[in-house]
Amino acid sequence: MDALLPVKRERQGTAEAAYYTYSWQGSLKCSLQTLARGVFASHVASGEALFHCIRDMQIRSGFPHPIKLARHTVHGLALFFDKLLSPADVQIFFTSTLPQIARLALNLPILLQSQSLHLVADLKAAVAAVDPSPPDTTLLLRLLRTQQAGMVLLRQELVASLLACSFLCLFPTEHRREEQLGRINFDKLFAGVYERGGKKKNENKLRCLLHYFDRVCNSMPQGTVSFERKVLPKEAINDAIWGSSGAPLCPITVLQEGCIEDDGRDCLQVDFANRLLGGGALGDGCVQEEIRFMINPELIAGMLFMPAMADNESIEIVGAERYSTHEGYGPTFCFKGDFHDLTLQDTWGRRQTRIIAMDALDLPGENQFCSMPMLRELKKAYCGFLETSSMKGGQVAAVGGGGGGGQKSSVSQRHKKNQEHLSQAIFEASIAVALANSVSDLNSRMCTLAATESWRSLQPEGSSSQSVDVMEVMAESPDESPGCGTGTSTSMRRIVGIATGNWGCGVFGGNLELKSLLQWLAASQAGRPYVLYFSFKNPQAKRLQEVADWILQERWCVGELWSILLEYGKQSQFHVNLFDWIMPQPGTQLCSSQHYHKAG
């Protein structure tokens, strides 16, 4: 990790009581101090002057190899600060915001040392009343390489300091590629403002990030953010085990309107990720993942120390605060203003915003219907949806859901009537399913017939997809979660639903009908109580609710739906789409008797 940080680390103390100190290179520290004193000391009052200041600090860094900057960085900075921003915003930035960004960067050695000396002790004191197994030093900042399950916990102030260094392009770049890490400095984003095709979206991405710095510099948040690499053993679940699963399929609600970050606040929210966390967030990308990283900029910190995900891995981030509102997508993305995040914090100080980053296959074509690619996607989603140690310490400080900007969830309003169908018995059945899915033996994780029938018998006839957006299940968990994560325990954990959508179906070229069903299977097997599926008005999702309702009415379980998908994938040509093949529409020559059905 030392080679990835812009500061030097030195070991101090004795072998029995060792600790580390951090420091800036002497001349670089002087440059940061000058920038922090303001425009009259630094003479940095334009985009071009900022570029030369950044380049000068890189030269003073003392790194053996120069930090590489994108080709048009100077032109992008000059265009953004000298022409695109209003004169009033330019003055505020160079007289106030930029000096405070420099101070944040200057504080990095102190904040790193404070984390190593005090974070663990503070957490032990904070959770002692509710958690008998406090965290240990494995939560400290470090490189979490592939196949290395674990968690890093950072104070929001340390995250702000790291992002300040990213803005000033101070991170060394030499070893990032060999560690399978993406970019962490902002230079490519600066350059993208100038380069053809990226001006509008990258300008607004920068506006989001400057707004973040304005917010934290004026009022530093005092919470924490956790980043967890979740690893599912590669041999954990094979085709035979999925095919024999008797786990019931959980309720699913398809929503044409709304979005994951607004209407899925009480859920584990899916980030349609690149295998490199953040994807093109600090480059030209501006789709679902990149937009989420702009409105919740603390997510960017994970790009520093989380290498690329393997097929059996996902990354769960808990506590990232939202700072901005936006509209548009891709080239139409636009920063719209401030967002006041009211989401409640747990005993670790994390806002209960849970984001799961999982990458889908890239341009799989018709091969995606073959068993191995389907199994890969299924295990990827299952790894993400399986609840692990990221919920440790997750006692919420107060009862009730936190809202963003004081706005009530539209999901709750749209589905209030359906919510009435959820009786206390459904809660009890959900607990039984979750417990059955949480034992370490993967075969015994298949839900018992009693729990299955209990769940099914409670589905209101013709209303299998009732809304469960506020349903929370409190379930006792064993000391170790199966398969992935760090296996730490907590007395009680909140089992929340999944908020997802067209994962892997945009630029990645996945089939929406297949990917939606695979996510549903994974959520059900992981013991999640419900799925909210945001279709973003994609016409291919129109039949998903109809097909899901019919499957639930027919009382299929996980193993039966998985077997149907395997059978569909055995075709040599796909003349009929998956939904029509599962549930033929009236008036077609297809009939349900042609296809696999549950015996009896």
Side-chain angles (χ1 to χ4, degrees):
M1 189 70 196
D2 289 0
L4 302 175
L5 291 174
V7 294
K8 295 189 303 180
R9 184 177 74 158
E10 294 182 353
R11 185 184 178 95
Q12 304 287 344
T14 63
E16 294 77 17
Y19 64 95
Y20 291 96
T21 59
Y22 300 83
S23 62
W24 286 106
Q25 190 79 7
S27 56
L28 175 54
K29 182 178 181 179
C30 291
S31 295
L32 283 170
Q33 289 172 331
T34 300
L35 189 61
R37 285 197 293 269
V39 66
F40 295 108
S42 67
H43 305 293
V44 177
S46 68
E48 185 174 353
L50 177 58
F51 169 80
H52 291 298
C53 176
I54 289 172
R55 177 54 81 190
D56 177 69
M57 288 190 293
Q58 291 179 340
I59 293 172
R60 294 171 180 266
S61 67
F63 297 136
H65 299 276
I67 299 174
K68 297 179 181 179
L69 294 179
R71 179 182 177 186
H72 294 297
T73 301
V74 60
H75 301 109
L77 284 168
L79 178 60
F80 181 75
F81 287 107
D82 303 341
K83 295 184 178 180
L84 298 179
L85 284 187
S86 68
D89 288 339
V90 170
Q91 182 178 11
I92 291 172
F93 175 79
F94 286 109
T95 60
S96 177
T97 306
L98 182 59
Q100 292 182 85
I101 289 174
R103 292 186 199 109
L104 280 174
L106 267 172
N107 286 338
L108 181 61
I110 297 172
L111 294 170
L112 286 171
Q113 187 168 341
S114 175
Q115 178 186 249
S116 65
L117 292 176
H118 305 302
L119 178 63
V120 173
D122 290 348
L123 279 175
K124 286 181 179 180
V127 304
V130 294
D131 194 338
S133 54
D136 56 34
T137 55
T138 58
L139 294 172
L140 299 179
L141 179 62
R142 65 198 187 283
L143 188 65
L144 279 179
R145 291 186 172 89
T146 184
Q147 306 305 316
Q148 181 184 341
M151 182 191 293
V152 167
L153 186 71
L154 305 177
R155 296 188 190 278
Q156 286 180 279
E157 187 175 6
L158 175 54
V159 171
S161 181
L162 293 170
L163 295 191
C165 293
S166 293
F167 181 87
L168 297 173
C169 303
L170 296 176
F171 285 102
T173 56
E174 179 188 3
H175 298 289
R176 294 191 64 80
R177 183 182 294 272
E178 67 188 61
E179 292 287 1
Q180 298 188 67
L181 291 163
R183 63 178 67 253
I184 188 63
N185 292 325
F186 281 21
D187 57 298
K188 181 63 176 177
L189 186 55
F190 295 146
V193 176
Y194 176 82
E195 293 169 352
R196 180 182 299 179
K199 175 180 175 181
K200 185 68 175 178
K201 63 183 180 183
N202 286 319
E203 171 194 343
N204 280 278
K205 287 165 69 176
L206 271 177
R207 289 181 183 273
C208 288
L209 295 171
L210 290 189
H211 177 69
Y212 162 76
F213 284 119
D214 285 340
R215 282 276 306 273
V216 299
C217 289
N218 288 320
S219 179
M220 181 61 66
Q222 297 301 312
T224 60
V225 185
S226 66
F227 301 81
E228 180 185 13
R229 181 178 290 273
K230 302 167 72 173
V231 181
L232 188 71
K234 295 180 179 180
E235 69 283 357
I237 295 186
N238 56 37
D239 175 41
I241 294 178
W242 281 102
S244 62
S245 172
L249 292 163
C250 65
I252 179 171
T253 299
V254 181
L255 302 166
Q256 298 293 327
E257 305 287 341
C259 59
I260 292 172
E261 60 268 25
D262 289 334
D263 299 309
R265 287 193 298 269
D266 295 321
C267 304
L268 178 63
Q269 304 169 13
V270 177
D271 164 19
F272 307 161
N274 188 286
R275 62 186 295 268
L276 289 173
L277 182 67
L282 298 182
D284 293 330
C286 199
V287 289
Q288 195 256 13
E289 179 175 39
E290 289 85 357
I291 291 173
R292 194 64 195 269
F293 274 57
M294 294 301 105
I295 63 176
N296 295 66
E298 289 159 344
L299 297 170
I300 295 171
M303 298 168 67
L304 172 64
F305 54 85
M306 285 286 192
M309 288 179 276
D311 287 347
N312 63 324
E313 295 180 332
S314 61
I315 295 172
E316 184 166 346
I317 304 170
V318 181
E321 186 171 345
R322 182 176 172 185
Y323 294 87
S324 301
T325 59
H326 77 284
E327 66 180 18
Y329 192 83
T332 65
F333 172 74
C334 183
F335 166 73
K336 296 301 292 182
D338 185 46
F339 184 93
H340 186 47
D341 195 336
L342 302 178
T343 308
L344 296 173
Q345 293 180 321
D346 63 15
T347 52
W348 282 18
R350 301 175 300 179
R351 293 187 183 274
Q352 285 300 280
T353 299
R354 313 165 188 84
I355 297 172
I356 185 67
M358 53 191 209
D359 58 303
L361 289 171
D362 189 13
L363 301 176
E366 288 194 351
N367 287 334
Q368 66 187 291
F369 294 103
C370 297
S371 61
M372 291 307 294
M374 281 199 293
L375 191 60
R376 185 270 184 196
E377 302 292 73
L378 188 58
K379 292 198 292 186
K380 171 69 71 167
Y382 180 68
C383 177
F385 297 163
L386 195 64
E387 190 248 333
T388 61
S389 63
S390 62
M391 296 308 298
K392 182 178 184 293
Q395 304 292 328
V396 180
V399 178
Q407 301 170 356
K408 185 176 181 180
S409 170
S410 58
V411 177
S412 299
Q413 297 169 350
R414 282 196 295 272
H415 299 281
K416 183 177 180 181
K417 182 177 180 180
N418 284 339
Q419 179 65 31
E420 295 172 357
H421 292 298
L422 289 171
S423 65
Q424 180 63 30
I426 287 185
F427 282 83
E428 295 171 358
S430 301
I431 291 173
V433 171
L435 288 173
N437 280 340
S438 296
V439 299
S440 58
D441 185 346
L442 289 166
N443 284 309
S444 65
R445 253 192 304 101
M446 304 307 178
C447 296
T448 64
L449 178 61
T452 302
E453 293 305 318
S454 175
W455 178 276
R456 290 170 174 165
S457 66
L458 293 165
Q459 303 298 317
E461 187 172 354
S463 303
S464 299
S465 58
Q466 67 268 44
S467 169
V468 283
D469 63 300
V470 296
M471 185 169 87
E472 294 176 358
V473 180
M474 298 299 293
E476 292 191 15
S477 299
D479 287 343
E480 283 195 26
S481 297
C484 61
T486 54
T488 49
S489 67
T490 183
S491 56
M492 297 288 281
R493 295 178 180 175
R494 300 169 68 233
I495 301 177
V496 298
I498 302 296
T500 188
N502 309 324
W503 173 60
C505 300
V507 294
F508 278 49
N511 179 276
L512 183 147
E513 298 180 355
L514 176 63
K515 291 292 173 63
S516 62
L517 295 183
L518 290 174
Q519 290 184 86
W520 188 22
L521 285 171
S524 300
Q525 184 63 38
R528 296 289 177 173
Y530 62 92
V531 171
L532 297 181
Y533 191 98
F534 295 87
S535 70
F536 307 106
K537 298 182 180 180
N538 190 314
Q540 297 179 41
K542 286 184 176 180
R543 289 201 72 204
L544 175 56
Q545 189 71 75
E546 177 189 6
V547 172
D549 286 347
W550 180 80
I551 289 173
L552 288 169
Q553 184 178 350
E554 292 293 309
R555 298 188 175 184
W556 290 7
C557 63
V558 166
E560 290 160 344
L561 180 54
W562 172 244
S563 297
I564 275 283
L565 297 182
L566 289 177
E567 185 176 341
Y568 180 78
K570 292 177 181 177
Q571 302 178 89
S572 58
Q573 294 181 324
F574 299 94
H575 298 298
V576 179
N577 68 47
L578 179 57
F579 285 168
D580 288 343
W581 195 83
I582 292 175
M583 181 186 174
Q585 298 192 61
T588 65
Q589 294 183 353
L590 292 171
C591 63
S592 59
S593 62
Q594 292 176 297
H595 306 301
Y596 172 89
H597 275 75
K598 181 170 70 77

